[in-house]
Amino acid sequence: MLKPKIQEALNKQVTVEAQSSQIYLAMASWAETQGFEGVSQFMYAHSDEERMHMLKLVKFINERGGHAIISPLAAPPVSFGSFKEMFQELFNHEVAVSESINDLVDICLQEKDYATHNFLQWYVSEQIEEEALARNILDKISLIGDDKSGFYLFDNDIKQLITAPEEEV
Ligand code: OFO
């Protein structure tokens, strides 16, 4: 049985993951309107991944005898300035999500909930990968600078970074 404090913290993380999915969906749509097909495909896939992260939490909470709560979400931005700014925002967002996971892990240790602690290790590893991926993309964008043909190639190359959802679980 989940302790109320753990359930509350896990439900907050459900909202964080849903919000991430929502933001990346907005990024996908914006990139698509800018004609960047590869970037938009990457963002659509990333949005799906975040939804999977959310669902994994929902299932876990309910399996442990709790009740996963689906909360309203804030509207994400409509446009994102430049690709550099958009990926910087993605990186900042992932850093904030990592902090949120760390806080959750901390609460589990305080409450001696080792089962939830064990479950969360998947998220800890996932955040290391997601931050590294975002950092890698930002490095590539810095190398491109203002080179238009560089952006064209980048838009094509980024498709290779799309992870199939089944590789995630
Ligand atoms: Fe759920 O990993 Fe990104 O936010």
Side-chain angles (χ1 to χ4, degrees):
M1 195 68 189
L2 282 175
K3 289 184 184 171
K5 198 171 170 184
I6 302 281
Q7 174 166 305
E8 193 189 327
L10 286 170
N11 269 322
K12 269 196 197 142
Q13 194 62 33
V14 167
T15 308
V16 168
E17 301 294 343
Q19 193 72 51
S20 301
S21 177
Q22 191 84 333
I23 291 170
Y24 299 151
L25 183 58
M27 287 179 175
S29 177
W30 178 74
E32 198 163 43
T33 64
Q34 306 298 303
F36 281 84
E37 194 210 334
V39 172
S40 82
Q41 277 180 18
F42 174 84
M43 288 300 180
Y44 279 123
H46 209 39
S47 172
D48 286 346
E49 263 184 47
E50 298 298 349
R51 181 176 155 77
M52 188 276 288
H53 297 174
M54 176 200 68
L55 283 174
K56 213 174 161 89
L57 281 158
V58 166
K59 299 273 182 198
F60 179 78
I61 296 167
N62 291 341
E63 267 168 20
R64 297 273 316 276
H67 184 183
I69 306 297
I70 310 305
S71 303
L73 302 174
V78 172
S79 57
F80 295 88
S82 65
F83 283 104
K84 192 174 179 186
E85 284 169 288
M86 184 177 75
F87 279 103
Q88 185 64 52
E89 195 164 330
L90 181 142
F91 176 70
N92 296 346
H93 186 78
E94 288 304 328
V95 170
V97 172
S98 298
E99 280 169 16
S100 166
I101 295 285
N102 287 344
D103 290 346
L104 197 43
V105 169
D106 210 40
I107 295 170
C108 289
L109 290 176
Q110 281 167 26
E111 297 291 315
K112 297 190 173 20
D113 183 341
Y114 300 115
T116 305
H117 180 271
N118 186 45
F119 165 77
L120 288 173
Q121 295 315 300
W122 183 87
Y123 288 83
V124 172
S125 313
E126 179 67 15
Q127 283 313 119
I128 294 171
E129 275 179 31
E130 293 213 348
E131 280 189 36
L133 177 65
R135 208 177 285 119
N136 192 312
I137 292 173
L138 277 177
D139 288 346
K140 283 197 169 75
I141 293 176
S142 293
L143 283 175
I144 296 166
D146 292 326
D147 178 6
K148 285 233 161 49
S149 56
F151 261 123
Y152 179 80
L153 291 174
F154 169 77
D155 189 51
N156 219 19
D157 284 356
I158 198 169
K159 290 178 191 165
Q160 288 162 14
L161 298 176
I162 298 172
T163 352
E166 59 271 19
E167 289 171 32
E168 276 279 315
V169 198

